[in-house]
Amino acid sequence: MRHIADRVRTFIVQDLDWAGDTDTLTEDFPLIDGKVLDSLGLLNMVSFLESEYGIDVDDTEITPTNFGTLGSIQRYVTGKHG
């Protein structure tokens, strides 16, 4: 399932225009606290995940636990696929 983290990393760099060092975006780097994702970035991330992986993200699921790191996003998407 590492593919999910890689795809999300690419989305952050290419679609959200994150200008930081790609090597910084490890699976445990804090995306929210590290200022990679802001509120608009989170909304764009949710839209991306819904269209890319065919999942529905409930507003109550948009939390740091689910979206705080690449690893947590990967676990969240994997869990949605059951």
Side-chain angles (χ1 to χ4, degrees):
M1 278 289 136
R2 184 160 163 73
H3 169 72
I4 294 171
D6 291 339
R7 182 64 189 103
V8 171
R9 183 181 296 108
T10 300
F11 172 79
I12 289 170
V13 172
Q14 292 181 352
D15 296 279
L16 298 182
D17 296 323
W18 189 66
D21 182 6
T22 306
D23 292 336
T24 302
L25 294 176
T26 61
E27 290 194 25
D28 60 351
F29 183 80
L31 299 175
I32 297 168
D33 292 340
K35 308 227 186 288
V36 175
L37 292 177
D38 58 12
S39 57
L40 183 58
L42 273 171
L43 292 176
N44 288 329
M45 177 67 69
V46 167
S47 294
F48 163 73
L49 294 174
E50 288 179 330
S51 66
E52 182 78 7
Y53 296 103
I55 61 173
D56 290 319
V57 178
D58 188 88
D59 290 346
T60 61
E61 297 173 319
I62 304 172
T63 64
T65 301
N66 293 330
F67 289 87
T69 66
L70 290 175
S72 64
I73 293 171
Q74 180 169 281
R75 287 187 294 278
Y76 173 75
V77 171
T78 302
K80 292 294 261 186
H81 281 247

